[in-house]
Amino acid sequence: MGDKPKEERRTYYCSFCGKSQHDVLNLIASPRAFICNECTDLCAEVCDEARAEKAAKSIIAKTLKVKRSIKRVLSARFWGGGDG
Ligand SMILES: [Zn+2]
């Protein structure tokens, strides 16, 4: 009865932000590190941003390419074409 059960109550901390498992909703464990749900959210946001930036760049590149080829076609009509 007075005896405390001998259980190891270890508190785990997020390896990124240092919050303890009690301060966050989820703490995901890997063999070497922990990450909390807040940090995974942040990571997802950063990855999304990077992905969005990449997508935007490729859209811009494509648009420029299309513009250039339209220009070429138009100028070919205006200046080159000529078999009347
Ligand atoms: Zn964290």
Side-chain angles (χ1 to χ4, degrees):
M1 295 236 186
D3 277 354
K4 276 183 185 173
K6 200 183 173 187
E7 66 177 34
E8 253 187 73
R9 273 208 190 172
R10 258 185 93 178
T11 304
Y12 296 102
Y13 297 90
C14 173
S15 307
F16 289 81
C17 69
K19 284 182 183 167
S20 82
Q21 64 188 107
H22 306 296
D23 294 332
V24 296
L25 199 64
N26 276 315
L27 197 65
I28 299 155
S30 82
R32 286 167 183 254
F34 298 89
I35 187 167
C36 72
N37 63 294
E38 291 174 21
C39 288
T40 56
D41 282 355
L42 193 69
C43 289
E45 217 170 275
V46 171
C47 290
D48 276 354
E49 255 172 49
R51 218 175 294 149
E53 199 177 313
K54 206 176 169 189
K57 271 183 190 165
S58 89
I59 288 171
I60 289 170
K62 268 183 201 161
T63 308
L64 286 178
K65 220 175 178 182
V66 169
K67 250 187 186 171
R68 216 173 294 154
S69 65
I70 288 173
K71 219 175 183 180
R72 203 182 307 152
V73 169
L74 286 178
S75 64
R77 262 209 204 142
F78 284 131
W79 307 112
D83 62 305

Coordinates of all heavy atoms in Angstrom, one line a residue:
M1 N 0.8 -1.2 0.0 CA 0.0 0.0 0.0 C 0.9 1.2 0.0 O 0.9 1.9 -0.9 CB -0.9 0.0 1.2 CG -1.9 -1.1 1.2 SD -3.6 -0.5 1.3 CE -4.5 -2.0 1.4
G2 N 1.6 1.6 0.9 CA 2.4 2.8 0.7 C 3.4 2.8 -0.4 O 3.9 3.8 -0.7
D3 N 3.6 1.6 -0.9 CA 4.6 1.5 -2.0 C 4.2 2.2 -3.3 O 3.1 2.0 -3.7 CB 4.9 0.0 -2.2 CG 5.9 -0.5 -1.2 OD1 6.4 0.3 -0.4 OD2 6.1 -1.7 -1.2
K4 N 5.2 2.9 -3.8 CA 4.9 3.5 -5.1 C 5.3 2.4 -6.1 O 6.3 1.7 -6.0 CB 5.8 4.7 -5.3 CG 5.2 6.0 -4.7 CD 6.1 7.1 -5.1 CE 5.6 8.4 -4.4 NZ 6.5 9.5 -4.6
P5 N 4.4 2.3 -7.1 CA 4.8 1.3 -8.2 C 6.1 1.8 -8.8 O 6.3 2.9 -9.1 CB 3.6 1.4 -9.1 CG 2.9 2.7 -8.8 CD 3.2 3.0 -7.4
K6 N 6.9 0.8 -9.1 CA 8.2 1.1 -9.7 C 8.1 1.2 -11.2 O 8.4 0.3 -11.9 CB 9.2 0.1 -9.3 CG 10.6 0.6 -9.4 CD 11.6 -0.5 -9.1 CE 13.0 -0.1 -9.4 NZ 14.0 -1.2 -9.2
E7 N 7.6 2.3 -11.6 CA 7.5 2.5 -13.1 C 8.3 3.7 -13.5 O 8.3 4.7 -12.8 CB 6.1 2.6 -13.5 CG 5.4 3.9 -13.1 CD 4.0 4.0 -13.6 OE1 3.3 3.0 -13.8 OE2 3.6 5.1 -13.9
E8 N 9.0 3.5 -14.6 CA 9.8 4.6 -15.0 C 9.0 5.6 -15.8 O 8.5 5.3 -16.9 CB 10.9 4.1 -15.9 CG 12.3 4.2 -15.2 CD 13.4 3.8 -16.2 OE1 13.7 4.7 -17.1 OE2 14.0 2.7 -16.1
R9 N 8.7 6.7 -15.2 CA 7.9 7.7 -15.9 C 8.9 8.7 -16.6 O 9.3 9.6 -16.0 CB 7.0 8.4 -14.9 CG 5.8 7.7 -14.8 CD 4.7 8.7 -14.4 NE 3.5 7.9 -14.0 CZ 2.4 8.4 -13.5 NH1 2.3 9.7 -13.3 NH2 1.4 7.6 -13.2
R10 N 9.2 8.3 -17.8 CA 10.1 9.2 -18.6 C 9.2 10.2 -19.3 O 8.2 9.9 -19.9 CB 10.9 8.4 -19.5 CG 12.3 8.3 -19.0 CD 13.2 7.6 -20.0 NE 13.9 8.6 -20.8 CZ 14.7 8.2 -21.8 NH1 14.9 6.9 -22.1 NH2 15.4 9.1 -22.5
T11 N 9.7 11.4 -19.3 CA 9.0 12.4 -20.1 C 9.9 12.6 -21.4 O 11.1 12.7 -21.3 CB 8.9 13.8 -19.4 OG1 8.2 13.6 -18.2 CG2 8.1 14.8 -20.2
Y12 N 9.2 12.6 -22.5 CA 9.9 12.8 -23.8 C 9.6 14.2 -24.3 O 8.6 14.8 -24.1 CB 9.4 11.8 -24.8 CG 9.6 10.3 -24.4 CD1 8.6 9.5 -23.8 CD2 10.9 9.8 -24.5 CE1 8.9 8.2 -23.4 CE2 11.2 8.5 -24.1 CZ 10.2 7.7 -23.6 OH 10.5 6.5 -23.2
Y13 N 10.7 14.7 -24.9 CA 10.6 16.0 -25.5 C 10.8 16.1 -27.0 O 11.6 15.3 -27.5 CB 11.7 16.9 -24.8 CG 11.5 17.0 -23.3 CD1 12.1 16.1 -22.4 CD2 10.7 18.1 -22.8 CE1 11.9 16.2 -21.1 CE2 10.5 18.2 -21.4 CZ 11.1 17.3 -20.6 OH 10.9 17.4 -19.2
C14 N 10.1 17.0 -27.6 CA 10.3 17.2 -29.0 C 11.7 17.6 -29.3 O 12.2 18.5 -28.6 CB 9.3 18.3 -29.5 SG 9.6 18.7 -31.2
S15 N 12.4 17.0 -30.2 CA 13.8 17.3 -30.5 C 13.9 18.6 -31.3 O 15.0 19.2 -31.4 CB 14.4 16.2 -31.4 OG 14.2 14.9 -30.8
F16 N 12.8 19.1 -31.8 CA 12.8 20.4 -32.6 C 12.5 21.6 -31.7 O 13.3 22.5 -31.7 CB 11.9 20.3 -33.7 CG 12.3 19.3 -34.8 CD1 12.1 18.0 -34.6 CD2 13.0 19.8 -35.9 CE1 12.5 17.1 -35.6 CE2 13.4 18.9 -36.9 CZ 13.2 17.5 -36.7
C17 N 11.4 21.5 -31.0 CA 11.0 22.7 -30.2 C 11.2 22.6 -28.7 O 11.2 23.5 -28.0 CB 9.6 23.1 -30.5 SG 8.4 22.0 -29.9
G18 N 11.5 21.4 -28.3 CA 11.8 21.1 -26.9 C 10.6 21.0 -26.0 O 10.7 20.9 -24.8
K19 N 9.4 21.0 -26.5 CA 8.2 20.9 -25.7 C 8.1 19.4 -25.2 O 8.5 18.5 -25.9 CB 7.0 21.3 -26.5 CG 6.8 22.8 -26.6 CD 5.6 23.1 -27.4 CE 5.5 24.6 -27.6 NZ 4.4 25.0 -28.6
S20 N 7.5 19.3 -24.1 CA 7.4 17.9 -23.5 C 6.1 17.3 -24.1 O 5.2 18.0 -24.6 CB 7.3 17.9 -22.0 OG 6.0 18.2 -21.6
Q21 N 6.0 16.0 -24.0 CA 4.9 15.3 -24.5 C 3.6 15.8 -23.9 O 2.5 15.5 -24.5 CB 5.1 13.8 -24.2 CG 5.1 13.4 -22.8 CD 5.5 12.0 -22.6 OE1 6.5 11.6 -22.1 NE2 4.5 11.1 -22.9
H22 N 3.7 16.4 -22.7 CA 2.4 16.8 -22.1 C 2.0 18.2 -22.6 O 0.9 18.6 -22.4 CB 2.7 17.0 -20.6 CG 3.2 15.7 -20.0 ND1 2.4 14.5 -19.9 CD2 4.4 15.4 -19.4 CE1 3.2 13.6 -19.4 NE2 4.3 14.1 -19.0
D23 N 2.9 18.9 -23.3 CA 2.6 20.2 -23.8 C 2.0 20.2 -25.2 O 1.5 21.2 -25.7 CB 3.8 21.1 -23.8 CG 4.3 21.4 -22.4 OD1 3.5 21.4 -21.5 OD2 5.5 21.6 -22.3
V24 N 2.1 19.0 -25.8 CA 1.6 18.9 -27.2 C 0.6 17.8 -27.4 O 0.4 17.0 -26.5 CB 2.8 18.7 -28.2 CG1 3.8 19.8 -28.2 CG2 3.5 17.4 -27.8
L25 N -0.1 17.8 -28.5 CA -1.1 16.9 -28.8 C -0.5 15.5 -29.1 O -1.0 14.5 -28.6 CB -1.9 17.4 -30.0 CG -3.3 16.8 -30.2 CD1 -4.2 17.2 -29.1 CD2 -3.9 17.3 -31.5
N26 N 0.5 15.5 -29.9 CA 1.2 14.3 -30.3 C 2.7 14.4 -30.3 O 3.2 15.5 -30.7 CB 0.8 13.9 -31.8 CG -0.5 13.2 -31.8 OD1 -0.8 12.3 -31.0 ND2 -1.4 13.6 -32.7
L27 N 3.3 13.4 -29.9 CA 4.8 13.4 -30.0 C 5.1 12.1 -30.7 O 4.8 11.0 -30.3 CB 5.4 13.4 -28.6 CG 6.9 13.8 -28.5 CD1 7.1 15.2 -28.9 CD2 7.4 13.6 -27.1
I28 N 5.7 12.3 -31.9 CA 6.0 11.1 -32.7 C 7.5 10.7 -32.4 O 8.4 11.6 -32.5 CB 5.8 11.5 -34.2 CG1 4.4 11.9 -34.4 CG2 6.3 10.4 -35.1 CD1 4.2 12.8 -35.6
A29 N 7.7 9.5 -32.2 CA 9.0 9.0 -31.8 C 9.7 8.3 -32.9 O 9.0 7.5 -33.7 CB 8.9 8.0 -30.6
S30 N 10.9 8.5 -33.1 CA 11.8 7.7 -34.0 C 12.9 7.2 -33.1 O 13.0 7.6 -31.9 CB 12.4 8.6 -35.1 OG 13.5 9.3 -34.6
P31 N 13.7 6.2 -33.6 CA 14.7 5.7 -32.7 C 15.6 6.7 -32.1 O 16.2 6.5 -31.0 CB 15.5 4.7 -33.6 CG 14.5 4.4 -34.7 CD 13.6 5.6 -34.9
R32 N 15.8 7.8 -32.8 CA 16.8 8.8 -32.4 C 16.2 10.1 -32.0 O 16.9 11.0 -31.4 CB 17.9 9.0 -33.5 CG 18.8 7.9 -33.6 CD 19.6 8.0 -34.9 NE 20.4 6.9 -35.0 CZ 21.8 6.9 -34.8 NH1 22.4 8.0 -34.5 NH2 22.5 5.8 -34.9
A33 N 15.0 10.4 -32.4 CA 14.5 11.8 -32.1 C 13.0 11.7 -32.0 O 12.3 10.7 -32.3 CB 14.9 12.7 -33.3
F34 N 12.5 12.8 -31.5 CA 11.1 13.0 -31.3 C 10.6 14.2 -32.0 O 11.4 15.2 -32.1 CB 10.7 13.1 -29.8 CG 11.0 11.9 -29.1 CD1 12.2 11.7 -28.5 CD2 10.1 10.9 -28.9 CE1 12.6 10.6 -27.7 CE2 10.4 9.7 -28.2 CZ 11.6 9.6 -27.6
I35 N 9.4 14.2 -32.5 CA 8.9 15.4 -33.1 C 7.4 15.6 -32.7 O 6.7 14.6 -32.7 CB 9.1 15.5 -34.7 CG1 8.7 16.8 -35.2 CG2 8.3 14.3 -35.3 CD1 9.1 17.0 -36.7
C36 N 7.0 16.8 -32.4 CA 5.6 17.0 -32.0 C 4.7 17.4 -33.2 O 5.2 17.7 -34.2 CB 5.5 18.0 -30.9 SG 5.8 19.7 -31.5
N37 N 3.5 17.3 -32.9 CA 2.5 17.6 -34.0 C 2.7 19.1 -34.5 O 2.5 19.4 -35.7 CB 1.1 17.4 -33.6 CG 0.7 18.3 -32.4 OD1 1.2 18.2 -31.3 ND2 -0.2 19.2 -32.7
E38 N 3.1 20.0 -33.6 CA 3.2 21.4 -34.0 C 4.4 21.5 -35.0 O 4.3 22.2 -36.0 CB 3.5 22.2 -32.8 CG 2.2 22.3 -31.9 CD 2.5 23.1 -30.6 OE1 3.4 23.8 -30.6 OE2 1.7 22.9 -29.7
C39 N 5.4 20.8 -34.7 CA 6.6 20.8 -35.6 C 6.3 20.1 -36.9 O 6.8 20.6 -38.0 CB 7.8 20.2 -34.9 SG 8.4 21.3 -33.6
T40 N 5.6 19.0 -36.9 CA 5.2 18.4 -38.2 C 4.4 19.3 -39.0 O 4.5 19.4 -40.2 CB 4.5 17.0 -38.0 OG1 3.4 17.3 -37.2 CG2 5.4 16.0 -37.3
D41 N 3.5 20.1 -38.4 CA 2.7 21.0 -39.1 C 3.5 22.1 -39.8 O 3.3 22.4 -40.9 CB 1.7 21.8 -38.1 CG 0.5 20.9 -37.8 OD1 0.4 19.8 -38.4 OD2 -0.3 21.3 -36.9
L42 N 4.5 22.6 -39.0 CA 5.4 23.6 -39.5 C 6.2 23.0 -40.7 O 6.4 23.7 -41.7 CB 6.4 24.0 -38.4 CG 7.2 25.2 -38.7 CD1 6.3 26.5 -38.7 CD2 8.3 25.4 -37.6
C43 N 6.7 21.8 -40.5 CA 7.4 21.1 -41.6 C 6.6 21.0 -42.9 O 7.0 21.3 -44.0 CB 7.9 19.7 -41.2 SG 9.2 19.8 -40.0
A44 N 5.3 20.6 -42.7 CA 4.4 20.5 -43.8 C 4.2 21.8 -44.5 O 4.2 21.9 -45.7 CB 3.1 19.9 -43.3
E45 N 4.1 22.8 -43.7 CA 3.9 24.2 -44.3 C 5.1 24.6 -45.1 O 5.0 25.1 -46.2 CB 3.8 25.2 -43.1 CG 2.8 26.3 -43.4 CD 2.5 27.1 -42.1 OE1 1.7 26.6 -41.3 OE2 3.2 28.1 -41.9
V46 N 6.3 24.4 -44.5 CA 7.5 24.7 -45.2 C 7.6 23.9 -46.5 O 8.0 24.5 -47.6 CB 8.8 24.4 -44.4 CG1 10.1 24.6 -45.2 CG2 8.8 25.4 -43.2
C47 N 7.3 22.6 -46.5 CA 7.4 21.8 -47.7 C 6.4 22.3 -48.7 O 6.7 22.3 -49.9 CB 7.1 20.3 -47.3 SG 8.5 19.6 -46.4
D48 N 5.2 22.6 -48.2 CA 4.1 23.1 -49.2 C 4.6 24.4 -49.8 O 4.4 24.5 -51.0 CB 2.9 23.4 -48.4 CG 2.0 22.1 -48.2 OD1 2.4 21.1 -48.8 OD2 1.0 22.2 -47.5
E49 N 5.2 25.3 -49.1 CA 5.7 26.5 -49.6 C 6.7 26.2 -50.7 O 6.7 26.8 -51.8 CB 6.3 27.4 -48.5 CG 5.4 28.5 -48.1 CD 5.9 29.2 -46.9 OE1 7.1 29.6 -46.9 OE2 5.1 29.5 -46.0
A50 N 7.7 25.3 -50.4 CA 8.7 25.0 -51.3 C 8.1 24.4 -52.6 O 8.5 24.8 -53.7 CB 9.7 24.0 -50.7
R51 N 7.1 23.6 -52.4 CA 6.5 22.9 -53.5 C 5.7 23.9 -54.4 O 5.8 23.9 -55.6 CB 5.5 21.8 -53.0 CG 5.5 20.6 -53.9 CD 4.7 19.5 -53.3 NE 5.2 19.0 -52.1 CZ 4.5 18.6 -51.1 NH1 3.2 18.6 -51.1 NH2 5.0 18.1 -50.0
A52 N 5.0 24.8 -53.7 CA 4.3 25.9 -54.4 C 5.2 26.8 -55.2 O 4.9 27.1 -56.3 CB 3.5 26.7 -53.4
E53 N 6.3 27.1 -54.6 CA 7.3 28.0 -55.2 C 7.8 27.3 -56.5 O 7.9 27.9 -57.6 CB 8.5 28.3 -54.3 CG 9.2 29.5 -54.7 CD 10.3 29.8 -53.7 OE1 10.0 29.8 -52.5 OE2 11.5 30.0 -54.1
K54 N 8.1 26.0 -56.4 CA 8.6 25.3 -57.5 C 7.6 25.2 -58.6 O 7.9 25.4 -59.8 CB 9.0 23.8 -57.0 CG 10.0 23.2 -57.9 CD 10.4 21.8 -57.3 CE 11.2 21.0 -58.2 NZ 11.4 19.6 -57.8
A55 N 6.3 25.0 -58.2 CA 5.3 24.9 -59.2 C 5.1 26.2 -59.9 O 4.9 26.3 -61.1 CB 4.0 24.5 -58.5
A56 N 5.1 27.3 -59.1 CA 5.0 28.6 -59.7 C 6.1 28.9 -60.7 O 5.8 29.4 -61.8 CB 5.0 29.7 -58.6
K57 N 7.3 28.5 -60.3 CA 8.4 28.8 -61.2 C 8.2 28.0 -62.5 O 8.5 28.5 -63.6 CB 9.7 28.3 -60.5 CG 10.3 29.5 -59.7 CD 11.6 29.0 -59.1 CE 12.2 30.1 -58.1 NZ 13.2 29.6 -57.3
S58 N 7.8 26.8 -62.4 CA 7.6 26.0 -63.6 C 6.5 26.5 -64.5 O 6.6 26.5 -65.7 CB 7.5 24.5 -63.3 OG 6.1 24.2 -63.2
I59 N 5.5 27.0 -63.8 CA 4.4 27.7 -64.6 C 4.9 28.9 -65.3 O 4.6 29.1 -66.5 CB 3.2 28.0 -63.7 CG1 2.5 26.7 -63.2 CG2 2.2 29.0 -64.3 CD1 1.4 26.9 -62.1
I60 N 5.6 29.7 -64.6 CA 6.2 30.9 -65.2 C 7.1 30.6 -66.4 O 7.0 31.1 -67.5 CB 7.0 31.8 -64.2 CG1 6.0 32.4 -63.2 CG2 7.8 32.8 -64.8 CD1 6.6 33.0 -62.0
A61 N 7.9 29.6 -66.2 CA 8.8 29.1 -67.2 C 8.1 28.7 -68.4 O 8.4 29.0 -69.6 CB 9.7 28.0 -66.7
K62 N 7.0 27.9 -68.2 CA 6.2 27.4 -69.3 C 5.5 28.6 -70.0 O 5.5 28.6 -71.3 CB 5.1 26.4 -68.8 CG 5.6 25.0 -68.8 CD 4.4 24.1 -68.3 CE 5.0 22.8 -67.8 NZ 4.1 22.1 -67.0
T63 N 5.0 29.5 -69.2 CA 4.3 30.6 -69.8 C 5.2 31.4 -70.7 O 4.9 31.8 -71.9 CB 3.7 31.6 -68.7 OG1 3.0 30.8 -67.8 CG2 2.8 32.6 -69.3
L64 N 6.5 31.7 -70.2 CA 7.4 32.4 -71.0 C 7.8 31.6 -72.3 O 7.9 32.2 -73.4 CB 8.7 32.6 -70.2 CG 8.6 33.6 -69.1 CD1 10.0 33.7 -68.3 CD2 8.3 35.0 -69.6
K65 N 7.9 30.3 -72.2 CA 8.2 29.5 -73.3 C 7.1 29.7 -74.4 O 7.4 29.9 -75.6 CB 8.3 28.1 -72.9 CG 9.4 27.3 -73.6 CD 9.5 25.9 -73.0 CE 10.6 25.1 -73.6 NZ 10.6 23.8 -73.0
V66 N 5.8 29.5 -73.9 CA 4.7 29.6 -74.8 C 4.7 31.0 -75.5 O 4.5 31.1 -76.7 CB 3.4 29.4 -74.0 CG1 2.2 29.7 -74.9 CG2 3.3 27.9 -73.6
K67 N 4.9 32.1 -74.6 CA 4.9 33.4 -75.1 C 5.9 33.6 -76.2 O 5.7 34.2 -77.3 CB 5.2 34.4 -74.0 CG 4.1 35.2 -73.6 CD 4.5 36.3 -72.6 CE 3.4 37.0 -72.0 NZ 3.8 37.9 -70.9
R68 N 7.1 33.0 -76.0 CA 8.2 33.2 -76.9 C 7.8 32.5 -78.2 O 8.1 33.0 -79.3 CB 9.5 32.6 -76.3 CG 10.7 33.3 -76.7 CD 11.9 32.8 -76.0 NE 11.8 33.1 -74.6 CZ 12.5 32.3 -73.7 NH1 13.2 31.3 -74.0 NH2 12.4 32.6 -72.4
S69 N 7.2 31.3 -78.1 CA 6.9 30.6 -79.3 C 5.8 31.2 -80.1 O 5.7 31.2 -81.3 CB 6.6 29.1 -79.1 OG 5.5 28.9 -78.3
I70 N 4.8 31.8 -79.4 CA 3.8 32.6 -80.0 C 4.4 33.7 -80.8 O 4.0 34.0 -81.9 CB 2.7 33.1 -79.0 CG1 1.9 32.0 -78.4 CG2 1.8 34.2 -79.6 CD1 1.0 32.3 -77.3
K71 N 5.3 34.4 -80.1 CA 6.0 35.6 -80.7 C 6.7 35.1 -82.0 O 6.6 35.8 -83.0 CB 7.0 36.1 -79.7 CG 7.1 37.6 -79.8 CD 8.0 38.1 -78.7 CE 8.1 39.6 -78.6 NZ 9.0 40.0 -77.5
R72 N 7.3 34.0 -81.9 CA 8.0 33.5 -83.1 C 7.1 33.2 -84.2 O 7.3 33.6 -85.4 CB 8.8 32.2 -82.7 CG 10.0 32.0 -83.6 CD 10.7 30.7 -83.3 NE 11.1 30.7 -81.9 CZ 11.2 29.6 -81.2 NH1 11.0 28.4 -81.7 NH2 11.6 29.6 -79.9
V73 N 6.0 32.6 -83.9 CA 5.0 32.2 -84.9 C 4.4 33.5 -85.6 O 4.4 33.7 -86.8 CB 3.8 31.4 -84.3 CG1 2.7 31.3 -85.3 CG2 4.3 30.0 -83.9
L74 N 4.1 34.5 -84.7 CA 3.5 35.8 -85.2 C 4.5 36.5 -86.1 O 4.2 36.9 -87.2 CB 3.1 36.7 -84.0 CG 1.9 36.2 -83.3 CD1 1.6 37.2 -82.1 CD2 0.7 36.2 -84.2
S75 N 5.8 36.5 -85.6 CA 6.8 37.3 -86.4 C 7.1 36.5 -87.7 O 7.4 37.2 -88.7 CB 8.0 37.6 -85.5 OG 8.6 36.4 -85.2
A76 N 7.0 35.2 -87.6 CA 7.2 34.5 -88.9 C 6.1 34.8 -89.9 O 6.4 35.0 -91.1 CB 7.2 33.0 -88.6
R77 N 4.9 35.0 -89.4 CA 3.8 35.3 -90.3 C 4.0 36.7 -90.8 O 3.8 37.0 -92.0 CB 2.5 35.4 -89.5 CG 1.8 34.1 -89.7 CD 0.3 34.2 -89.5 NE -0.1 32.8 -89.2 CZ -1.1 32.6 -88.3 NH1 -1.7 33.6 -87.8 NH2 -1.4 31.4 -88.1
F78 N 4.4 37.6 -89.9 CA 4.5 39.0 -90.3 C 5.7 39.2 -91.3 O 5.7 39.9 -92.2 CB 4.6 40.0 -89.2 CG 3.3 40.1 -88.5 CD1 3.1 40.0 -87.1 CD2 2.2 40.5 -89.3 CE1 1.9 40.2 -86.6 CE2 0.9 40.7 -88.7 CZ 0.8 40.5 -87.3
W79 N 6.8 38.6 -90.8 CA 8.1 39.0 -91.5 C 8.6 37.9 -92.4 O 9.3 38.2 -93.4 CB 9.2 39.3 -90.5 CG 8.7 40.4 -89.5 CD1 8.5 40.2 -88.2 CD2 8.4 41.7 -89.8 NE1 8.1 41.3 -87.6 CE2 8.0 42.3 -88.6 CE3 8.4 42.5 -90.9 CZ2 7.6 43.6 -88.5 CZ3 8.1 43.8 -90.8 CH2 7.7 44.4 -89.6
G80 N 8.3 36.7 -92.1 CA 9.0 35.6 -92.8 C 8.0 35.1 -93.9 O 8.2 35.4 -95.1
G81 N 7.0 34.5 -93.4 CA 6.1 33.6 -94.2 C 6.1 33.7 -95.7 O 6.6 32.8 -96.4
G82 N 5.7 34.7 -96.2 CA 5.6 35.3 -97.5 C 5.6 34.4 -98.7 O 6.4 34.6 -99.6
D83 N 4.7 33.5 -98.8 CA 4.5 33.0 -100.2 C 3.1 33.4 -100.7 O 2.5 32.7 -101.5 CB 4.7 31.5 -100.3 CG 3.7 30.7 -99.5 OD1 3.6 31.0 -98.3 OD2 3.0 29.8 -100.0
G84 N 2.7 34.5 -100.2 CA 1.5 35.3 -100.6 C 0.2 34.6 -100.9 O -0.1 34.0 -101.8
Ligands
ZN1 ZN 8.0 20.3 -31.6

